[in-house]
């Protein structure tokens, strides 16, 4: 299973559609879509409102491979159980129609930026250890090197590949926050510096990267939502469970994806702090 990429959604005709909620605006949380609801991208939080694990529901819904008409799901409003279209046709009824407590829906998945913050990354050793087993201070030239790191993780479900994460975080999402976002940039350095090594001590150079985290919530824009009226009839609307307009787009608060990238300075170099790391050696191996 894989996340539905922005490019896949575009091929599905969402941009070409008369799209009052153009996907580009939806993904970045910009434009008129933002006014529709209080959540990221103008979406409304379904978690805690309807039964079942809605975090997992959105994750499974949006992890499906998209088609030209979007992604499909079925929701049991009594139990909160979710099924994909294939599961519904196999397990409930071999026709794509709502029946009993099962309601069916179709729409589009996207990613909306929810928040962003800066962190200090984990310190890493960037040079070999150089030891001084003598009885006096020594000076050595250290060669340290480092390359920027980028990774992402999901709060629900399995891991997310770097290539799929790039389809979410590169370009407009990272660039919209007004900082040096490293998803589309790879930077490295090699530095030489002279450092003092105390007696019976080994020294290495470490680097603590300064990083930016961007959190996005997967969101679902409803195109069709249907429920069983009885006697073979159904009602079909364009909002989640027939609620008002702010339920056109939904998300589940506990399902998010965090993208983390090393920050870059204006000159394109990695941003961070270099330190000297000292460790005492076994006195038995050093000069008296």
């Amino acid at each position: 299973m894989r996340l539905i990429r922005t490019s896949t959604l575009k091929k599905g005709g969402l941009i070409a559609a008369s799209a009052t909620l153009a996907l580009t605006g939806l993904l970045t949380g910009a434009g008129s879509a933002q006014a529709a609801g209080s959540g990221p991208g103008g979406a409304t939080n379904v978690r805690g409102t309807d039964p079942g694990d809605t975090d997992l529901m959105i994750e499974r819904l949006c992890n499906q491979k998209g088609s030209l008409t979007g992604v499909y799901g079925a929701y049991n409003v009594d139990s909160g159980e979710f099924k994909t279209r294939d599961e519904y046709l196999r397990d409930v009824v071999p026709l794509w129609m709502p029946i009993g407590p099962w309601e069916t829906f179709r729409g589009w998945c996207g990613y909306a930026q929810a928040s962003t913050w800066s962190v200090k990354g984990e310190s890493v050793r960037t040079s070999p250890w150089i030891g001084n087993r003598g009885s006096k201070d020594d000076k050595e030239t250290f060669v340290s090197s480092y390359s920027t790191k980028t990774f992402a993780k999901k709060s629900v479900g399995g891991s997310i590949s770097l290539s799929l994460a790039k389809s979410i975080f590169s370009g407009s999402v990272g660039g919209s926050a007004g900082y040096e976002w490293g998803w589309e940039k790879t930077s490295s350095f090699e530095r030489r510096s002279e450092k003092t090594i105390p007696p019976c001590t080994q020294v290495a150079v470490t680097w603590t990267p300064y990083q930016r985290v961007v959190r996005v919530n997967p969101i679902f824009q409803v195109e069709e939502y249907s429920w069983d009226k009885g006697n073979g009839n159904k009602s079909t609307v364009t909002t989640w469970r027939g609620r008002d307009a702010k339920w056109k787009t939904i998300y589940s608060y506990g399902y998010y994806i965090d993208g983390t990238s090393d920050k870059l300075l204006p000159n394109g170099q990695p941003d961070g702090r270099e330190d000297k790391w000292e460790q005492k050696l076994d006195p038995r191996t050093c000069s008296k």
Side-chain angles (χ1 to χ4, degrees), residues 5 7 47 126 177 189 197 248 262:
R5 303 188 188 207
S7 59
R47 189 183 194 197
T126 55
F189 64 73
I197 308 176
K248 175 67 174 176
D262 287 2

Side-chain angles (χ1 to χ4, degrees), residues 8-14 17 65-72 106-108:
T8 304
L9 295 179
K10 290 179 180 178
K11 290 178 182 177
L14 188 58
K65 184 176 181 180
S67 69
L68 292 178
T69 51
V71 293
Y72 292 74
R106 173 181 67 85
W108 304 96

Side-chain angles (χ1 to χ4, degrees), residues 120-130 142-147 149 189 191 193 195 202-210 262 270-279:
K120 284 185 180 180
E122 184 177 350
S123 297
V124 295
R125 181 166 59 87
T126 55
S127 77
W129 289 102
I130 300 180
F142 287 78
V143 179
S144 60
S145 60
Y146 180 79
S147 294
K149 305 295 189 296
F189 64 73
R191 297 175 179 170
S193 59
K195 300 189 183 300
Q202 66 177 359
V203 167
V205 176
T206 66
W207 179 257
T208 303
Y210 298 154
D262 287 2
D271 190 8
R273 189 188 72 227
E274 182 180 281
D275 292 294
K276 184 172 76 170
W277 187 8
E278 296 185 358
Q279 285 186 348

Side-chain angles (χ1 to χ4, degrees), residues 6 11 15 20-21 41-42 52 68 83 86 103 109 112 132 155-157 191 208 224 234 246 267 280:
T6 304
K11 290 178 182 177
I15 285 183
T20 52
L21 287 176
L68 292 178
K83 289 185 182 292
D86 288 345
E103 300 179 350
C109 288
N132 175 13
S155 65
V156 174
R191 297 175 179 170
T208 303
E224 292 182 356
K234 68 176 183 178
K246 72 178 182 179
N267 64 5
K280 291 295 184 181

Side-chain angles (χ1 to χ4, degrees), residues 9 12 15 20 45 56 61 77 91 120 157 192 208 244 250-251 255 258 275:
L9 295 179
I15 285 183
T20 52
N45 180 26
L56 185 59
L61 173 66
V77 296
D91 301 336
K120 284 185 180 180
R192 295 176 179 270
T208 303
D244 62 31
I250 62 168
Y251 77 109
Y255 176 38
D258 287 347
D275 292 294

